[in-house]
């Protein structure tokens, strides 16, 4: 069996094209506005609408939440357009139990807060602007992902 078929059963081309679109979008956002489009800050700035705790009421969240909501809506709408244009209309699903998805989401959120950013912020924006802390963050993300994927593949997790 072809190794790319086992790693990417639906093909790899759409991942490449999606990555190019994301990279171009982030680059254009920075080029035309000077703004960095990391998603963990979008999440935190959105919470600033409803949570009055001092962390969420920082100026960096409250003053940028308008454009960040538009940015997030563009990502969601882009995914919807992609799905409508290139899928057969069948929703994708996973065999992963809901509790595992929630637990994984908690760990991802905790890691993003601990690492002062998420994979999109560090991996796309930070590496693109040659920031040393982002390189360290991405290496940590990737090492953790490799270890976790192998533990799951071996049935140890």
């Amino acid at each position: 069996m072809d190794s790319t078929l086992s790693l990417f059963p639906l093909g790899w081309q759409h991942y490449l094209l999606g990555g190019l679109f994301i990279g171009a979008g982030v680059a254009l956002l920075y080029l035309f506005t000077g703004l960095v489009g990391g998603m963990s800050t979008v999440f935190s700035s959105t919470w600033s609408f409803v949570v009055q705790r001092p962390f969420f009421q920082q100026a960096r969240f409250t003053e940028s939440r308008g454009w960040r909501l538009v940015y997030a809506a563009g990502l969601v709408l882009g995914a919807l357009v992609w799905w409508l244009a290139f899928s057969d209309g069948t929703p994708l699903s996973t065999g992963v139990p809901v509790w595992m998805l929630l637990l994984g989401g908690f760990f991802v959120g905790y890691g993003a807060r601990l690492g002062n950013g998420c994979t999109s912020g560090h991996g796309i924006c930070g590496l693109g602007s040659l920031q040393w802390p982002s390189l360290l963050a991405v290496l940590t993300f990737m090492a953790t992902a490799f270890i976790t994927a192998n533990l799951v593949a071996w049935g140890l997790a």
Side-chain angles (χ1 to χ4, degrees), residues 4-131:
T4 58
L5 186 58
S6 65
L7 289 174
F8 304 104
L10 301 177
W12 56 268
Q13 297 85 350
H14 60 286
Y15 295 110
L16 175 62
L17 190 56
L20 292 172
F21 277 134
I22 291 169
V26 167
L28 290 172
L29 176 68
Y30 185 75
L31 181 67
F32 289 119
T33 65
L35 300 171
V36 177
M39 289 310 295
S40 63
T41 308
V42 169
F43 183 76
S44 297
S45 67
T46 302
W47 276 108
S48 73
F49 282 110
V50 294
V51 178
Q52 298 305 311
R53 296 186 65 183
F55 174 81
F56 293 106
Q57 295 305 312
Q58 295 176 64
R60 68 186 179 123
F61 297 141
T62 59
E63 293 172 4
S64 67
R65 61 189 178 189
W67 77 263
R68 290 185 189 280
L69 278 176
V70 172
Y71 180 71
L75 290 173
V76 172
L77 290 174
L80 177 63
V81 167
W82 183 275
W83 181 68
L84 292 173
F86 297 108
S87 78
D88 62 1
T90 305
L92 297 176
S93 64
T94 179
V96 178
V98 173
W99 72 268
M100 283 182 139
L101 294 172
L102 292 172
L103 184 64
F106 171 79
F107 282 124
V108 167
Y110 179 75
R113 185 58 44 224
L114 185 65
N116 200 24
C118 59
T119 52
S120 62
H122 284 300
I124 299 168
C125 305
L127 289 181
S129 58
L130 304 175
Q131 294 182 18

Side-chain angles (χ1 to χ4, degrees), residues 139-157:
L139 291 174
T140 302
F141 297 157
M142 294 307 293
T144 303
F146 292 149
I147 291 168
T148 303
N150 280 290
L151 288 174
V152 169
W154 295 333
L156 300 175

